[in-house]
């Protein structure tokens, strides 16, 4: 992913991003952490990758019948055994994705989807910081 040819291959193959997003739902912490880091590299590579991630998330969650961003929300809603490192990676992925959106309407669409998950992202982010 760190080389131009590799990243271009991933950009053109949305199934890989879907697979990485699916791995965020794993029960193994190291798998989740690695998938989050790789998705962060993907989103940070270029701003045009944020909509591709959103497309992948929508595809995976529609197929499974889950709410949008459900894998991320499971991490953020975890009350017992809080793993702050995973919380930071998950919130950073959300923030970087929102930052890379091309227009305000897209931004609010994603924020609305996140809020429908009955999770207050502002409170979670504050709890991570303090």
């Amino acid at each position: 992913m760190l080389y131009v040819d590799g990243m271009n291959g991933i950009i053109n193959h949305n199934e890989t991003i879907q697979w990485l997003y699916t791995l965020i739902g794993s029960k193994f912490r190291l798998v989740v952490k690695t998938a989050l880091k790789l998705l962060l590299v993907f989103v940070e590579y270029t701003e045009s990758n944020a909509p591709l991630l959103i497309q992948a998330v929508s595809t995976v969650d529609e197929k499974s019948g889950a709410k949008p961003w459900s894998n991320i929300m499971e991490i953020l809603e975890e009350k017992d055994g809080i793993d702050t490192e995973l919380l930071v990676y998950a919130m950073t992925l959300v923030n970087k994705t929102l930052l890379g959106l091309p227009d305000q309407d897209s931004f609010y669409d994603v924020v609305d989807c996140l809020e429908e998950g009955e999770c207050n992202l502002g409170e979670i982010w504050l709890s991570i910081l303090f």
Side-chain angles (χ1 to χ4, degrees):
M1 280 182 73
L2 297 178
Y3 298 105
V4 175
D5 291 340
M7 185 58 78
N8 287 335
I10 291 171
I11 289 170
N12 294 324
H13 194 256
N14 197 261
E15 289 82 7
T16 303
I17 301 306
Q18 292 172 23
W19 175 68
L20 286 172
Y21 174 71
T22 303
L23 290 177
I24 292 174
S26 173
K27 63 181 178 177
F28 301 105
R29 180 184 177 278
L30 186 57
V31 172
V32 174
K33 181 179 169 184
T34 304
L36 285 169
K37 285 182 174 182
L38 289 171
L39 287 172
L40 276 169
V41 169
F42 177 75
V43 170
E44 291 174 338
Y45 184 77
T46 181
E47 287 185 6
S48 62
N49 285 353
L52 295 175
L53 175 60
I54 292 169
Q55 177 187 1
V57 168
S58 298
T59 302
V60 169
D61 287 336
E62 281 178 17
K63 285 181 183 176
S64 66
K67 290 183 179 181
W69 296 90
S70 60
N71 290 345
I72 294 284
M73 291 315 227
E74 285 180 23
I75 294 169
L76 297 176
E77 291 173 343
E78 190 175 307
K79 305 280 189 230
D80 304 330
I82 295 176
D83 187 341
T84 55
E85 192 174 30
L86 288 181
L87 289 173
V88 169
Y89 284 131
M91 278 307 298
T92 303
L93 181 62
V94 170
N95 287 335
K96 297 279 183 175
T97 302
L98 291 173
L99 180 68
L101 292 175
D103 57 42
Q104 199 172 25
D105 290 336
S106 300
F107 174 86
Y108 285 114
D109 288 344
V110 174
V111 170
D112 289 343
C113 284
L114 291 168
E115 287 178 350
E116 287 174 10
E118 302 174 3
C119 182
N120 188 334
L121 295 177
E123 287 178 10
I124 292 168
W125 190 239
L126 288 175
S127 70
I128 292 169
L129 293 175
F130 298 105

